[in-house]
Amino acid sequence: MTHKREIQGNVVKIAGNKTATIVVERRVMHPRYHKVVKKFKNYLIHDENNELKVGDEVVAVECRPLSKTKSFRLKSVVKGAE
């Protein structure tokens, strides 16, 4: 059984039909200054039912490539947008 990567982030954009862009924040130690810095990366995720809105906090799971840039699908919505 293979382990699928899970990422958690906030929806920043609805990028077309059945696609949303999420931003994932990581906190890493800077190699020279030994200070914790935030790093951000955007991922495109597949939203089959078009249920996401900007501001939602979601969990996405890795899947087969659905397009050139889309390799994650929506698993669950942790917190809805206000």
Side-chain angles (χ1 to χ4, degrees):
M1 186 169 118
T2 61
H3 181 266
K4 302 290 185 180
R5 226 170 22 133
E6 288 189 0
I7 56 176
Q8 184 170 352
N10 291 320
V11 177
V12 292
K13 181 178 168 185
I14 303 301
N17 191 26
K18 297 186 180 182
T19 303
T21 302
I22 65 170
V23 62
V24 176
E25 174 187 318
R26 296 186 305 132
R27 293 174 187 266
V28 295
M29 185 71 71
H30 192 281
R32 172 175 288 170
Y33 301 116
H34 301 290
K35 180 179 177 179
V36 177
V37 293
K38 293 187 229 178
K39 292 198 172 198
F40 300 95
K41 186 169 180 185
N42 289 333
Y43 291 92
L44 293 179
I45 64 168
H46 184 69
D47 175 19
E48 184 64 36
N49 301 324
N50 285 322
E51 62 190 40
L52 294 180
K53 296 181 286 299
V54 173
D56 288 349
E57 188 174 336
V58 299
V59 175
V61 64
E62 193 173 25
C63 64
R64 66 181 176 84
L66 300 170
S67 71
K68 180 181 175 182
T69 56
K70 195 162 52 165
S71 295
F72 285 87
R73 62 181 166 76
L74 178 65
K75 182 177 181 184
S76 63
V77 177
V78 176
K79 188 172 69 170
E82 280 86 43

